[in-house]
Amino acid sequence: SIAYKYLPKSIVNLRKKGFSIPIDSWMKDYWYEDLKEYFLNSKSLFLNKKNIKKIFYKWDNDNIGSNNIFLILNLLIWEENNL
């Protein structure tokens, strides 16, 4: 491989790693207002509206991870577009 010619073996032989996307910062910065709109004005048929708001406020105030928020957001968007 050409990499051996230019890079140390310790780098070339490293196992491949995935990379994460900065979803937490995107949700807190770029998508915050849209996220808030979806969560606080939810018309979900599947999820309890009171719990949706509670989850949003917990995420907003306690800075818990955004993965579950992202999953719920996807369900809310899907519902809006398909039901």
Side-chain angles (χ1 to χ4, degrees):
S1 159
I2 196 163
Y4 285 104
K5 186 175 179 181
Y6 298 101
L7 299 170
K9 286 182 183 178
S10 62
I11 292 177
V12 176
N13 293 329
L14 284 175
R15 188 179 165 136
K16 288 185 180 182
K17 296 180 182 179
F19 62 93
S20 61
I21 58 172
I23 196 163
D24 289 326
S25 63
W26 290 349
M27 292 175 90
K28 290 287 185 177
D29 296 330
Y30 304 109
W31 300 339
Y32 182 81
E33 290 302 321
D34 292 329
L35 212 73
K36 186 175 179 180
E37 176 74 22
Y38 272 105
F39 276 75
L40 301 186
N41 299 310
S42 169
K43 293 176 177 63
S44 178
L45 301 174
F46 300 117
L47 302 174
N48 180 292
K49 293 164 186 63
K50 185 177 178 181
N51 287 339
I52 292 172
K53 289 179 183 181
K54 189 186 296 184
I55 290 167
F56 176 80
Y57 286 127
K58 181 154 182 62
W59 169 76
D60 194 26
N61 296 324
D62 298 341
N63 203 22
I64 59 172
S66 295
N67 289 338
N68 288 336
I69 297 294
F70 188 71
L71 293 172
I72 294 169
L73 175 65
N74 278 285
L75 176 61
L76 295 174
I77 292 170
W78 180 86
E79 277 188 299
E80 182 180 283
N81 291 302
N82 294 290
L83 298 180

